Short mmCIF file of all heavy atoms in Angstrom, two decimals:
data_model
loop_
_atom_site.label_atom_id
_atom_site.label_comp_id
_atom_site.label_asym_id
_atom_site.label_seq_id
_atom_site.Cartn_x
_atom_site.Cartn_y
_atom_site.Cartn_z
N VAL A 70 1.41 -4.96 3.25
CA VAL A 70 0.05 -5.46 3.76
C VAL A 70 -0.11 -6.89 3.60
O VAL A 70 -1.12 -7.40 4.13
CB VAL A 70 -0.94 -4.68 3.05
CG1 VAL A 70 -1.02 -3.17 3.42
CG2 VAL A 70 -0.93 -4.79 1.52
N SER A 71 0.75 -7.58 2.86
CA SER A 71 0.59 -9.08 2.77
C SER A 71 1.75 -9.82 3.46
O SER A 71 2.79 -9.13 3.78
CB SER A 71 0.53 -9.41 1.31
OG SER A 71 1.82 -9.28 0.69
N VAL A 72 1.60 -11.06 3.73
CA VAL A 72 2.59 -11.90 4.26
C VAL A 72 3.86 -11.89 3.42
O VAL A 72 4.94 -11.80 3.92
CB VAL A 72 2.13 -13.26 4.58
CG1 VAL A 72 3.18 -14.24 5.05
CG2 VAL A 72 0.90 -13.24 5.51
N GLU A 73 3.74 -11.97 2.16
CA GLU A 73 4.80 -12.02 1.23
C GLU A 73 5.58 -10.70 1.25
O GLU A 73 6.90 -10.70 1.23
CB GLU A 73 4.45 -12.35 -0.23
CG GLU A 73 5.45 -12.50 -1.18
CD GLU A 73 5.07 -12.99 -2.56
OE1 GLU A 73 4.11 -13.73 -2.63
OE2 GLU A 73 5.68 -12.39 -3.49
N ALA A 74 4.82 -9.56 1.36
CA ALA A 74 5.57 -8.36 1.38
C ALA A 74 6.33 -8.15 2.77
O ALA A 74 7.36 -7.70 2.84
CB ALA A 74 4.54 -7.17 1.32
N LEU A 75 5.74 -8.74 3.80
CA LEU A 75 6.35 -8.67 5.05
C LEU A 75 7.68 -9.51 5.16
O LEU A 75 8.57 -9.31 5.89
CB LEU A 75 5.49 -9.17 6.22
CG LEU A 75 4.30 -8.12 6.64
CD1 LEU A 75 3.33 -8.68 7.56
CD2 LEU A 75 5.00 -6.90 7.23
N ASP A 76 7.69 -10.53 4.22
CA ASP A 76 8.95 -11.35 4.15
C ASP A 76 10.08 -10.52 3.62
O ASP A 76 11.26 -10.75 4.05
CB ASP A 76 8.70 -12.57 3.30
CG ASP A 76 7.83 -13.62 4.01
OD1 ASP A 76 7.72 -13.61 5.20
OD2 ASP A 76 7.38 -14.54 3.21
N HIS A 77 9.88 -9.52 2.68
CA HIS A 77 10.84 -8.88 2.14
C HIS A 77 11.02 -7.52 2.83
O HIS A 77 12.18 -6.94 2.74
CB HIS A 77 10.48 -8.58 0.57
CG HIS A 77 10.49 -9.78 -0.15
ND1 HIS A 77 11.53 -10.53 -0.50
CD2 HIS A 77 9.43 -10.54 -0.71
CE1 HIS A 77 11.24 -11.63 -1.18
NE2 HIS A 77 9.95 -11.67 -1.32
N LEU A 78 10.09 -6.84 3.44
CA LEU A 78 10.17 -5.65 4.10
C LEU A 78 9.86 -5.82 5.57
O LEU A 78 8.81 -6.44 5.92
CB LEU A 78 9.16 -4.58 3.51
CG LEU A 78 9.34 -4.27 1.99
CD1 LEU A 78 8.23 -3.41 1.60
CD2 LEU A 78 10.67 -3.53 1.80
N ALA A 79 10.76 -5.24 6.38
CA ALA A 79 10.49 -5.32 7.87
C ALA A 79 9.44 -4.34 8.26
O ALA A 79 8.88 -4.44 9.35
CB ALA A 79 11.82 -5.14 8.61
N GLY A 80 9.22 -3.44 7.48
CA GLY A 80 8.18 -2.34 7.81
C GLY A 80 8.06 -1.48 6.66
O GLY A 80 8.39 -1.69 5.51
N SER A 81 7.53 -0.25 6.85
CA SER A 81 7.33 0.77 5.83
C SER A 81 8.69 1.27 5.37
O SER A 81 9.69 1.23 6.09
CB SER A 81 6.53 1.87 6.24
OG SER A 81 7.02 2.54 7.30
N THR A 82 8.71 1.67 4.04
CA THR A 82 9.95 2.15 3.42
C THR A 82 9.70 3.25 2.39
O THR A 82 8.51 3.40 2.03
CB THR A 82 10.77 0.97 2.73
OG1 THR A 82 11.99 1.53 2.35
CG2 THR A 82 9.98 0.33 1.65
N SER A 83 10.64 3.89 1.96
CA SER A 83 10.45 4.98 0.95
C SER A 83 10.31 4.28 -0.44
O SER A 83 10.56 3.12 -0.71
CB SER A 83 11.63 5.88 0.93
OG SER A 83 12.83 5.16 0.34
N VAL A 84 9.64 5.10 -1.33
CA VAL A 84 9.36 4.47 -2.69
C VAL A 84 10.71 4.23 -3.38
O VAL A 84 10.79 3.17 -4.07
CB VAL A 84 8.51 5.59 -3.45
CG1 VAL A 84 8.31 5.16 -4.88
CG2 VAL A 84 7.12 5.75 -2.87
N GLU A 85 11.68 5.07 -3.28
CA GLU A 85 12.95 4.78 -3.89
C GLU A 85 13.56 3.49 -3.37
O GLU A 85 14.09 2.74 -4.22
CB GLU A 85 13.92 6.01 -3.69
CG GLU A 85 13.46 7.31 -4.33
CD GLU A 85 12.50 8.08 -3.44
OE1 GLU A 85 12.42 7.84 -2.24
OE2 GLU A 85 11.77 8.87 -4.02
N SER A 86 13.60 3.33 -2.10
CA SER A 86 14.21 2.12 -1.59
C SER A 86 13.41 0.89 -2.03
O SER A 86 13.98 -0.12 -2.27
CB SER A 86 14.10 2.24 -0.02
OG SER A 86 14.57 1.08 0.56
N PHE A 87 12.11 1.05 -2.07
CA PHE A 87 11.29 -0.09 -2.49
C PHE A 87 11.52 -0.38 -3.95
O PHE A 87 11.68 -1.69 -4.35
CB PHE A 87 9.74 0.22 -2.36
CG PHE A 87 8.84 -0.83 -2.94
CD1 PHE A 87 8.67 -1.98 -2.30
CD2 PHE A 87 8.28 -0.60 -4.24
CE1 PHE A 87 7.81 -2.99 -2.88
CE2 PHE A 87 7.44 -1.54 -4.73
CZ PHE A 87 7.23 -2.70 -4.11
N LEU A 88 11.67 0.55 -4.89
CA LEU A 88 12.01 0.33 -6.23
C LEU A 88 13.40 -0.36 -6.46
O LEU A 88 13.56 -1.27 -7.25
CB LEU A 88 11.93 1.56 -6.98
CG LEU A 88 10.51 2.19 -7.17
CD1 LEU A 88 10.57 3.55 -7.87
CD2 LEU A 88 9.58 1.23 -7.88
N GLU A 89 14.36 0.00 -5.64
CA GLU A 89 15.70 -0.58 -5.61
C GLU A 89 15.65 -2.06 -5.27
O GLU A 89 16.15 -2.96 -5.84
CB GLU A 89 16.67 0.12 -4.77
CG GLU A 89 17.08 1.39 -5.33
CD GLU A 89 18.01 2.30 -4.41
OE1 GLU A 89 18.53 1.52 -3.50
OE2 GLU A 89 18.21 3.41 -4.55
N LEU A 90 14.83 -2.33 -4.12
CA LEU A 90 14.56 -3.76 -3.70
C LEU A 90 13.93 -4.52 -4.73
O LEU A 90 14.20 -5.65 -5.01
CB LEU A 90 13.88 -3.73 -2.32
CG LEU A 90 13.44 -5.13 -1.85
CD1 LEU A 90 14.73 -5.84 -1.37
CD2 LEU A 90 12.53 -4.95 -0.63
N ARG A 91 12.86 -3.96 -5.29
CA ARG A 91 12.14 -4.67 -6.33
C ARG A 91 13.05 -4.99 -7.53
O ARG A 91 13.01 -6.09 -8.07
CB ARG A 91 10.92 -3.77 -6.79
CG ARG A 91 9.99 -4.47 -7.80
CD ARG A 91 8.88 -3.58 -8.13
NE ARG A 91 8.07 -4.13 -9.10
CZ ARG A 91 8.06 -3.78 -10.46
NH1 ARG A 91 8.80 -2.76 -10.87
NH2 ARG A 91 7.26 -4.47 -11.29
N LYS A 92 13.84 -4.10 -7.95
CA LYS A 92 14.76 -4.32 -9.05
C LYS A 92 15.77 -5.41 -8.72
O LYS A 92 16.02 -6.30 -9.58
CB LYS A 92 15.53 -3.03 -9.37
CG LYS A 92 16.46 -3.22 -10.57
CD LYS A 92 17.17 -1.90 -10.79
CE LYS A 92 18.16 -2.10 -12.00
NZ LYS A 92 18.87 -0.75 -12.29
N SER A 93 16.28 -5.49 -7.51
CA SER A 93 17.29 -6.54 -7.12
C SER A 93 16.47 -7.88 -7.03
O SER A 93 17.12 -8.86 -7.44
CB SER A 93 17.95 -6.18 -5.88
OG SER A 93 17.06 -6.25 -4.74
N LEU A 94 15.29 -7.85 -6.53
CA LEU A 94 14.55 -9.13 -6.50
C LEU A 94 14.25 -9.72 -7.87
O LEU A 94 14.31 -10.87 -8.12
CB LEU A 94 13.18 -8.92 -5.73
CG LEU A 94 13.33 -8.76 -4.18
CD1 LEU A 94 11.95 -8.46 -3.56
CD2 LEU A 94 13.94 -10.01 -3.56
N MET A 95 13.90 -8.76 -8.80
CA MET A 95 13.68 -9.24 -10.15
C MET A 95 14.89 -9.77 -10.79
O MET A 95 14.87 -10.71 -11.59
CB MET A 95 12.97 -8.15 -10.94
CG MET A 95 11.58 -7.81 -10.53
SD MET A 95 10.88 -6.34 -11.32
CE MET A 95 10.65 -7.10 -12.99
N THR A 96 16.09 -9.16 -10.54
CA THR A 96 17.41 -9.62 -11.15
C THR A 96 17.67 -10.91 -10.51
O THR A 96 18.04 -11.95 -11.29
CB THR A 96 18.40 -8.59 -10.82
OG1 THR A 96 18.06 -7.32 -11.33
CG2 THR A 96 19.71 -9.01 -11.48
N ASP A 97 17.54 -11.15 -9.23
CA ASP A 97 17.80 -12.36 -8.59
C ASP A 97 16.89 -13.51 -9.16
O ASP A 97 17.34 -14.70 -9.34
CB ASP A 97 17.58 -12.37 -7.13
CG ASP A 97 18.68 -11.42 -6.46
OD1 ASP A 97 19.66 -11.17 -7.04
OD2 ASP A 97 18.52 -11.08 -5.19
N ASP A 98 15.66 -13.19 -9.39
CA ASP A 98 14.70 -14.23 -9.92
C ASP A 98 15.04 -14.57 -11.28
O ASP A 98 15.03 -15.81 -11.61
CB ASP A 98 13.28 -13.61 -9.87
CG ASP A 98 12.23 -14.58 -10.19
OD1 ASP A 98 12.40 -15.84 -9.83
OD2 ASP A 98 11.27 -14.22 -10.92
N ALA A 99 15.45 -13.60 -12.07
CA ALA A 99 15.91 -13.88 -13.41
C ALA A 99 17.19 -14.81 -13.41
O ALA A 99 17.20 -15.67 -14.25
CB ALA A 99 16.19 -12.62 -14.27
N ASN A 100 18.10 -14.52 -12.57
CA ASN A 100 19.30 -15.37 -12.50
C ASN A 100 18.96 -16.73 -12.01
O ASN A 100 19.50 -17.71 -12.48
CB ASN A 100 20.28 -14.73 -11.56
CG ASN A 100 20.89 -13.49 -12.08
OD1 ASN A 100 20.83 -13.24 -13.30
ND2 ASN A 100 21.37 -12.65 -11.23
N GLY A 101 17.93 -16.92 -11.05
CA GLY A 101 17.59 -18.23 -10.63
C GLY A 101 17.00 -19.00 -11.76
O GLY A 101 17.18 -20.22 -11.82
N ARG A 102 16.18 -18.36 -12.61
CA ARG A 102 15.60 -19.10 -13.69
C ARG A 102 16.70 -19.58 -14.73
O ARG A 102 16.64 -20.60 -15.28
CB ARG A 102 14.55 -18.29 -14.45
CG ARG A 102 13.22 -18.28 -13.79
CD ARG A 102 12.16 -17.63 -14.62
NE ARG A 102 12.00 -16.23 -14.06
CZ ARG A 102 11.99 -15.20 -14.67
NH1 ARG A 102 12.18 -15.09 -15.96
NH2 ARG A 102 11.82 -14.04 -14.08
N ASP A 103 17.72 -18.75 -14.89
CA ASP A 103 18.81 -19.08 -15.79
C ASP A 103 19.54 -20.35 -15.22
O ASP A 103 19.95 -21.29 -15.94
CB ASP A 103 19.82 -18.02 -16.04
CG ASP A 103 19.20 -16.86 -16.84
OD1 ASP A 103 18.14 -17.10 -17.52
OD2 ASP A 103 19.72 -15.68 -16.76
N GLU A 104 19.74 -20.36 -13.97
CA GLU A 104 20.45 -21.46 -13.32
C GLU A 104 19.61 -22.72 -13.32
O GLU A 104 20.14 -23.89 -13.53
CB GLU A 104 20.79 -21.16 -11.78
CG GLU A 104 21.90 -20.12 -11.77
CD GLU A 104 22.07 -19.67 -10.31
OE1 GLU A 104 21.38 -20.26 -9.42
OE2 GLU A 104 22.87 -18.73 -10.08
N ALA A 105 18.30 -22.58 -13.24
CA ALA A 105 17.43 -23.70 -13.24
C ALA A 105 17.39 -24.31 -14.68
O ALA A 105 17.37 -25.64 -14.81
CB ALA A 105 15.99 -23.30 -12.89
N VAL A 106 17.43 -23.48 -15.66
CA VAL A 106 17.51 -24.01 -16.99
C VAL A 106 18.81 -24.73 -17.24
O VAL A 106 18.80 -25.79 -17.91
CB VAL A 106 17.23 -22.90 -18.02
CG1 VAL A 106 17.57 -23.39 -19.48
CG2 VAL A 106 15.90 -22.38 -17.90
N SER A 107 19.82 -24.28 -16.77
CA SER A 107 21.21 -24.84 -17.11
C SER A 107 21.46 -26.18 -16.37
O SER A 107 22.09 -26.99 -16.81
CB SER A 107 22.24 -23.86 -16.81
OG SER A 107 22.35 -23.63 -15.35
N THR A 108 20.77 -26.40 -15.25
CA THR A 108 20.94 -27.59 -14.53
C THR A 108 19.85 -28.61 -14.84
O THR A 108 19.85 -29.69 -14.23
CB THR A 108 20.98 -27.38 -13.02
OG1 THR A 108 19.85 -26.73 -12.63
CG2 THR A 108 22.21 -26.50 -12.61
N ASN A 109 18.95 -28.32 -15.78
CA ASN A 109 17.87 -29.15 -16.01
C ASN A 109 18.23 -30.35 -16.95
O ASN A 109 17.39 -31.16 -17.32
CB ASN A 109 16.70 -28.43 -16.57
CG ASN A 109 15.37 -29.08 -16.42
OD1 ASN A 109 15.25 -30.01 -15.71
ND2 ASN A 109 14.48 -28.61 -17.26
N ASN A 110 19.52 -30.45 -17.41
CA ASN A 110 19.93 -31.48 -18.37
C ASN A 110 20.43 -32.72 -17.62
O ASN A 110 20.77 -33.70 -18.29
CB ASN A 110 21.00 -30.85 -19.35
CG ASN A 110 22.18 -30.47 -18.60
OD1 ASN A 110 22.24 -30.41 -17.38
ND2 ASN A 110 23.14 -29.98 -19.45
N ARG A 111 20.37 -32.73 -16.39
CA ARG A 111 20.91 -33.95 -15.58
C ARG A 111 20.15 -35.19 -15.94
O ARG A 111 20.75 -36.18 -16.12
CB ARG A 111 20.84 -33.68 -14.11
CG ARG A 111 21.44 -34.79 -13.28
CD ARG A 111 21.52 -34.37 -11.87
NE ARG A 111 22.62 -33.42 -11.72
CZ ARG A 111 22.79 -32.61 -10.68
NH1 ARG A 111 22.07 -32.79 -9.56
NH2 ARG A 111 23.79 -31.80 -10.63
N PRO A 112 18.82 -35.26 -16.03
CA PRO A 112 18.07 -36.45 -16.33
C PRO A 112 18.46 -37.02 -17.71
O PRO A 112 18.62 -38.19 -17.91
CB PRO A 112 16.66 -36.11 -16.36
CG PRO A 112 16.53 -34.96 -15.43
CD PRO A 112 17.86 -34.22 -15.68
N ALA A 113 18.77 -36.15 -18.74
CA ALA A 113 19.24 -36.55 -20.04
C ALA A 113 20.56 -37.23 -20.02
O ALA A 113 20.82 -38.22 -20.67
CB ALA A 113 19.16 -35.39 -21.06
N ILE A 114 21.50 -36.65 -19.17
CA ILE A 114 22.77 -37.31 -19.00
C ILE A 114 22.72 -38.59 -18.40
O ILE A 114 23.38 -39.59 -18.88
CB ILE A 114 23.67 -36.29 -18.24
CG1 ILE A 114 23.95 -35.03 -19.09
CG2 ILE A 114 25.03 -37.02 -17.89
CD1 ILE A 114 24.68 -33.96 -18.27
N ILE A 115 21.96 -38.68 -17.37
CA ILE A 115 21.73 -40.01 -16.65
C ILE A 115 21.17 -41.06 -17.67
O ILE A 115 21.61 -42.24 -17.60
CB ILE A 115 20.87 -39.89 -15.44
CG1 ILE A 115 21.75 -39.07 -14.36
CG2 ILE A 115 20.48 -41.23 -14.88
CD1 ILE A 115 20.87 -38.69 -13.14
N ALA A 116 20.19 -40.61 -18.46
CA ALA A 116 19.59 -41.62 -19.35
C ALA A 116 20.57 -42.04 -20.42
O ALA A 116 20.57 -43.19 -20.83
CB ALA A 116 18.30 -40.92 -19.99
N GLY A 117 21.40 -41.09 -20.87
CA GLY A 117 22.37 -41.37 -21.88
C GLY A 117 23.47 -42.41 -21.32
O GLY A 117 23.88 -43.39 -21.99
N ILE A 118 23.79 -42.28 -20.05
CA ILE A 118 24.73 -43.17 -19.48
C ILE A 118 24.18 -44.53 -19.25
O ILE A 118 24.81 -45.58 -19.56
CB ILE A 118 25.16 -42.59 -18.11
CG1 ILE A 118 26.09 -41.47 -18.21
CG2 ILE A 118 26.00 -43.68 -17.25
CD1 ILE A 118 26.44 -40.62 -17.00
#
Side-chain angles (χ1 to χ4, degrees):
V70 293
S71 69
V72 175
E73 186 174 320
L75 286 172
D76 286 343
H77 296 290
L78 298 174
S81 59
T82 186
S83 67
V84 174
E85 294 83 20
S86 176
F87 173 77
L88 291 176
E89 288 176 18
L90 176 65
R91 182 175 178 257
K92 182 179 178 182
S93 70
L94 287 173
M95 291 177 70
T96 303
D97 293 344
D98 187 39
N100 290 341
R102 274 188 262 133
D103 291 342
E104 291 172 5
V106 169
S107 66
T108 60
N109 200 17
N110 59 358
R111 184 172 291 166
I114 292 172
I115 292 171
I118 291 170

